[in-house]
Amino acid sequence: MSDNKSKTSELSRRGFIKVGAAALTAASMPMFFVKDAWAAKDFRNNPGTAGSVKFGFNVPQSGAYADEGADELRAYKLAVEHINGVGDGGMLNTMKPLSLKGNGILGKKVEFVTGDTQTKSDAARASAKRMIEKDGVIMVTGGSSSGVAVAVQGLCQEMGIIFMAGLTHSNDTTGKDKRRYGFRHFFNAYMSGAALGPVLKKEMGTERKAYHLTADYTWGWTQEESIKNTTEGLGWKTTATVKTPVGAGDFSQYITPVLNSGADVLILNHYGKDMINSLTQAVQFGLRDKQVNGKNFEIIVPLFSRLMAQGAGENIKGILGTTNWNWALEDEGSKAFVKSFGAKYGQPPSMAAHTTYVQALLYANACEAAGSFYPPEVIKQLEGFKFDGMGNGPTEYRAEDHQCFKDVLVVRGNDKPTSQFDLLKVEQVVPRSQVEYDAKIFGGELGPYEV
Amino acid sequence: MDAIFLQILNGLDKGGAYALIALGLTLVFGTLGVVNFAHGALFMLGAFCAVTLQKILTISQKVRDESITFFEAYKEQPYLEIWFGDFGTKIIDWSVPISILLAIPIMLLIGLAMERGLIRHFYKRPHADQILVTFGLAIVLQEIIRSFFGANPIPTPAPDIVAGSAQIGVLLGLGESVVYPWWRIIYLLFSGLVIFLVFAFLQFTTFGMVVRAGMHDRETVGLLGIDVEHKFTIVFGIGAVVAGLAGVMYAPILPPDYHMGMDFLVLSFVVVVVGGMGSLGGAVAAGFLLGLLQSFASMNEIKAILPGIDQIIIYLVAVVIILVRPRGLMGRKGVMED
């Protein structure tokens, strides 16, 4: 006992600070294991003890993509209902693993505000800023353009608010412009190229000459590059790559040079209205009835959507492309979502509706799993998150670039639609392994967790 | 050679559309002195006459779609097809040409209502006020169309018989690759016909003579006891009809959407300025000139030397012409110079 006493008396002087530090550390240890332990740490738009939390749906409500925006908004409203425990639950019945309990997020009801991106980067940023600063949203989501996604993502990183991107297909969104606070569920141009490659080889062979018409902005450039790399990898030659202004309307002056260029494939790196117009006009110029180099002339539209197919009408029939998701898929998640959406709105959801619905659910689920709305904790939950039952098979939010990796659909404009919605036929479900790539190839830095 | 021929044809075809829109615009400006920024909206409304008639002709019986089991979906079969079989299908197929008949009275009424209801109150106001009110009107009109028809383009195809392209290369002894869509050839001929009719109307009718006289000297014509204002109201209606017809015929080329008028508005003003404010001949000449230049500037050979020239050529030419000939190609002295 006396030995012990003398030892204690020696330590009390020399080790006072050490003991104090150890005691503090020990006292703080439970913080790492207790839910909401970080709640004490303040962050922008922290809901604190409020009974509700607000999402910001930033979608194009006017301009060329207003129809896509309207469908995104329908999906978001459905997602909010399901998160709050209203309705049949949709994909919450099929999502695995699931932390949400159908009573909001961490017991707080979800509310929302909407903004109009107008499909313009500056308008989208202003709208997101207003939602963050004035409406106090905890998360911003939506959009139907890569230009918008990159702009809003940058803003959200600066303001410490998580951005769950909507419809954006440029490699840059999760490549050179990726951000720690930005997440994309939608697939990208690289994946479209990788998915299309084998199908093109099988259908059109290895000796083709391709002519690209490309929308002159970030998405068009990256898609052209990805598809060109794929087709040249097959042995195809690239006759020309021509940039066209966004919203050109009449593309005839760009199509006439195709006629005697020697090319036997036209690749339209256009989306939305531009794609509808360029495809309609290419068909009017008789390109699909043409024979060049002893082969049938072919048109490819690497990125398709049902809403675009509607606008292109008859001209889309037989044209190959890729899509992120289609309402006719037979998996349980897709069926549950289509059933909920169809019952509420009388029409099946578009791929824009699907990706935005899934994004809202994924964010909510990550908060529930993290036990907090504190963005760095939610980000860590989403990074590397593996899930299933949401319409695309087993999916992973890759931690390195915040890009979702999942199966990609190769589709063809349906020759014999059985209904007004049956415009795209799924030709092939390309497995995730075929469209995967090293995150380093597109560069970029995610940036810090704490901002 | 084939490539150049195709670009000439393309330029003329584009020019036809530009000339037709600019003709109506300059007709209104030359007579009423109004800078009508709603003229593009009239073009769009014309295209939507074709869309509306197509929608009316395809009013359908809804039958439960049994292939969709997740929710209640319906298949649609047009009543015209149910009642008249193949003949009904033919009528639907010909909806665009038929809609010309619908567009003429509708566009005339819209033009008259626009002039009497709104624009005449701005004759004595500065041009800036006229621009603001007509631009506002254009936005209102396009938002009304969006609320009824949505934002996405609506396919409005030409009749099947002219849906393909003509082998004009074979006809003219050029290469087989020289093909051109039938409908665009029809559009070119149609725009030529409308331009001819407008000029003939102004040149060879008493009404036209009065209008031309009024364009030169409104006051003197008024002093002769002629109700110039009444005549000019009708001219506004004619301008609306010309823009509307340009829109109807353009529907198969560019699936109409609510914004298509705005896309053409700036371009048509450039055409009018290059042609000379108030000069009908100038508007037509400038329309074809700019159409041809735009077409040639889009050739890969030209773009290889001057990248991006296709996107600025029209404005570049406008700057040069205004610098060299401030009144435009055929502008008259005293117009817009007060």
Side-chain angles (χ1 to χ4, degrees):
Chain A
M1 281 295 281
S2 63
D3 281 357
N4 279 348
K5 269 186 179 173
S6 67
K7 203 172 182 178
T8 307
S9 70
E10 272 178 28
L11 282 172
S12 67
R13 210 159 23 96
R14 294 172 57 199
F16 179 76
I17 294 170
K18 279 184 187 171
V19 173
L24 273 172
T25 308
S28 67
M29 278 299 278
M31 295 284 281
F32 295 106
F33 307 108
V34 175
K35 277 199 168 187
D36 272 339
W38 289 107
K41 187 165 179 120
D42 206 20
F43 52 93
R44 190 186 288 273
N45 299 339
N46 181 357
T49 55
S52 64
V53 65
K54 216 176 270 177
F55 286 180
F57 300 145
N58 204 19
V59 303
Q61 296 182 48
S62 57
Y65 296 132
D67 281 5
E68 267 98 345
D71 220 34
E72 288 184 0
L73 216 46
R74 286 185 202 110
Y76 280 135
K77 286 175 183 169
L78 195 65
V80 168
E81 280 185 11
H82 291 167
I83 294 166
N84 285 336
V86 181
D88 64 5
M91 278 187 178
L92 289 187
N93 299 311
T94 56
M95 181 183 177
K96 290 174 198 156
L98 179 72
S99 302
L100 290 167
K101 299 179 184 73
N103 62 344
I105 308 171
L106 299 170
K108 296 181 196 298
K109 289 282 170 205
V110 176
E111 294 172 350
F112 64 88
V113 290
T114 67
D116 183 6
T117 67
Q118 301 170 34
T119 320
K120 293 175 188 158
S121 302
D122 51 349
R125 269 179 76 99
S127 159
K129 200 158 188 280
R130 191 256 306 157
M131 290 195 286
I132 294 167
E133 288 179 342
K134 283 197 173 168
D135 301 318
V137 300
I138 189 75
M139 178 271 285
V140 174
T141 179
S144 184
S145 150
S146 291
V148 162
V150 167
V152 175
Q153 183 166 270
L155 173 85
C156 286
Q157 175 80 25
E158 288 162 24
M159 302 191 81
I161 293 289
I162 289 176
F163 172 61
M164 304 296 283
L167 208 149
T168 159
H169 188 247
S170 168
N171 294 335
D172 291 348
T173 312
T174 47
K176 78 175 177 54
D177 295 315
K178 66 190 170 196
R179 292 288 179 271
R180 182 71 64 191
Y181 280 68
F183 289 86
R184 169 165 64 182
H185 170 264
F186 203 67
F187 72 147
N188 64 26
Y190 179 93
M191 295 173 174
S192 286
L196 267 177
V199 181
L200 295 182
K201 186 177 176 181
K202 191 176 153 209
E203 292 222 351
M204 301 175 198
T206 54
E207 288 182 12
R208 284 278 184 171
K209 289 181 180 166
Y211 193 109
H212 288 254
L213 289 183
T214 302
D216 199 2
Y217 76 109
T218 170
W219 168 72
W221 305 328
T222 65
Q223 176 160 297
E224 179 191 286
E225 187 190 14
S226 295
I227 303 294
K228 193 165 155 252
N229 288 342
T230 299
T231 53
E232 287 180 354
L234 298 176
W236 292 21
K237 290 192 172 61
T238 305
T239 306
T241 54
V242 177
K243 307 287 182 285
T244 59
V246 178
D250 185 8
F251 287 89
S252 59
Q253 74 266 35
Y254 300 106
I255 293 169
T256 38
V258 181
L259 292 169
N260 43 20
S261 64
D264 46 35
V265 178
L266 174 64
I267 298 173
L268 295 173
N269 299 306
H270 289 150
Y271 188 72
K273 206 168 102 174
D274 279 356
M275 174 267 169
I276 292 170
N277 291 335
S278 63
L279 176 62
T280 301
Q281 290 157 20
V283 173
Q284 283 172 355
F285 270 86
L287 286 177
R288 295 193 72 189
D289 309 320
K290 220 169 138 60
Q291 285 260 325
V292 181
N293 309 324
K295 305 176 188 88
N296 285 335
F297 195 100
E298 302 285 352
I299 301 175
I300 299 164
V301 178
L303 178 62
F304 255 7
S305 81
R306 183 173 55 79
L307 293 175
M308 276 157 60
Q310 243 163 5
E314 292 283 311
N315 303 314
I316 202 83
K317 289 183 174 176
I319 303 265
L320 271 175
T322 60
T323 190
N324 192 56
W325 178 82
N326 186 275
W327 69 275
L329 288 171
E330 286 289 320
D331 63 284
E332 291 308 310
S334 297
K335 284 199 300 200
F337 178 48
V338 174
K339 192 178 166 196
S340 283
F341 194 98
K344 191 169 168 67
Y345 302 115
Q347 62 186 46
S350 64
M351 68 170 177
H354 170 256
T355 199
T356 46
Y357 174 86
V358 170
Q359 284 282 70
L361 255 48
L362 284 172
Y363 172 80
N365 191 67
C367 294
E368 191 78 35
S372 164
F373 292 98
Y374 181 51
E377 288 304 302
V378 180
I379 290 170
K380 282 172 192 163
Q381 279 296 330
L382 283 168
E383 287 179 337
F385 182 58
K386 290 179 182 161
F387 56 95
D388 200 353
M390 301 194 89
N392 301 102
T395 306
E396 180 182 359
Y397 243 127
R398 188 160 69 177
E400 290 94 321
D401 55 2
H402 295 186
Q403 171 67 54
C404 261
F405 282 86
K406 53 194 176 343
D407 300 345
V408 171
L409 306 180
V410 173
V411 289
R412 190 193 298 277
N414 208 345
D415 280 325
K416 290 174 188 157
T418 55
S419 75
Q420 55 171 321
F421 308 116
D422 185 28
L423 299 173
L424 301 178
K425 190 175 150 205
V426 178
E427 284 287 312
Q428 201 175 328
V429 179
V430 179
R432 169 190 162 173
S433 57
Q434 195 180 309
V435 298
E436 229 162 345
Y437 58 88
D438 186 345
K440 291 186 191 114
I441 63 171
F442 293 124
E445 283 293 328
L446 282 172
Y449 285 96
E450 303 275 353
V451 292
Chain B
M1 182 60 200
D2 292 359
I4 290 173
F5 180 76
L6 272 170
Q7 291 307 105
I8 290 175
L9 204 54
N10 185 243
L12 289 175
D13 160 41
K14 269 181 182 304
Y18 296 162
L20 219 49
I21 302 169
L23 183 68
L25 192 62
T26 210
L27 201 58
V28 170
F29 181 77
T31 50
L32 301 168
V34 172
V35 185
N36 183 17
F37 266 62
H39 196 74
L42 292 172
F43 173 71
M44 178 268 294
L45 288 177
F48 272 89
C49 282
V51 172
T52 309
L53 185 73
Q54 183 185 254
K55 296 258 180 208
I56 293 170
L57 294 179
T58 52
I59 290 175
S60 301
Q61 186 182 41
K62 288 188 175 177
V63 184
R64 178 87 168 85
D65 186 349
E66 303 297 339
S67 68
I68 296 173
T69 51
F70 304 141
F71 59 93
E72 282 188 16
Y74 295 89
K75 275 185 192 170
E76 297 183 345
Q77 196 185 1
Y79 283 111
L80 271 181
E81 286 183 358
I82 299 170
W83 296 335
F84 304 113
D86 285 350
F87 181 64
T89 313
K90 270 257 177 314
I91 295 175
I92 295 169
D93 185 36
W94 281 80
S95 69
V96 172
I98 296 170
S99 58
I100 291 175
L101 302 175
L102 178 77
I104 293 173
I106 287 183
M107 293 311 297
L108 189 65
L109 282 177
I110 290 174
L112 296 180
M114 222 163 119
E115 198 274 339
R116 287 289 90 186
L118 183 73
I119 291 175
R120 76 186 171 104
H121 302 294
F122 286 81
Y123 287 153
K124 294 195 168 69
R125 302 276 284 269
H127 286 307
D129 288 7
Q130 295 172 354
I131 290 170
L132 282 175
V133 75
T134 51
F135 194 71
L137 180 65
I139 293 172
V140 169
L141 288 173
Q142 73 176 32
E143 288 306 310
I144 290 172
I145 290 294
R146 187 167 78 90
S147 69
F148 277 101
F149 295 94
N152 268 5
I154 301 164
T156 317
D160 262 351
I161 194 166
V162 287
S165 45
Q167 295 286 341
I168 46 174
V170 178
L171 284 174
L172 300 173
L174 296 164
E176 275 186 15
S177 64
V178 181
V179 294
Y180 211 74
W182 275 114
W183 191 257
R184 283 178 183 266
I185 296 171
I186 292 169
Y187 194 93
L188 177 58
L189 298 174
F190 179 81
S191 56
L193 178 70
V194 173
I195 291 166
F196 170 76
L197 287 177
V198 170
F199 275 87
F201 179 71
L202 291 174
Q203 204 66 38
F204 303 120
T205 63
T206 315
F207 184 95
M209 191 176 70
V210 173
V211 169
R212 278 187 295 125
M215 283 170 85
H216 274 282
D217 192 341
R218 184 179 182 151
E219 210 176 343
T220 310
V221 176
L223 288 172
L224 291 171
I226 296 168
D227 184 357
V228 186
E229 196 171 308
H230 174 72
K231 297 270 188 295
F232 283 179
T233 301
I234 295 171
V235 169
F236 193 96
I238 293 171
V241 170
V242 171
L245 289 179
V248 171
M249 291 294 284
Y250 215 69
I253 294 174
L254 203 66
D257 69 73
Y258 77 105
H259 203 261
M260 69 189 295
M262 284 293 179
D263 298 341
F264 275 88
L265 182 68
V266 178
L267 207 62
S268 50
F269 266 96
V270 174
V271 172
V272 170
V273 170
V274 169
M277 298 295 287
S279 164
L280 295 174
V284 173
F288 282 107
L289 173 73
L290 293 182
L292 282 166
L293 285 172
Q294 197 181 27
S295 191
F296 275 101
S298 305
M299 289 181 79
N300 295 341
E301 292 80 1
I302 310 281
K303 285 175 76 175
I305 305 164
L306 298 164
I309 186 70
D310 54 322
Q311 297 184 35
I312 59 161
I313 182 75
I314 284 185
Y315 307 101
L316 198 66
V317 171
V319 169
V320 172
I321 286 183
I322 289 168
L323 281 175
V324 179
R325 292 178 65 88
R327 294 195 184 100
L329 291 176
M330 299 184 192
R332 284 182 292 118
K333 194 178 176 185
V335 180
M336 263 294 242
E337 288 173 5
D338 47 342

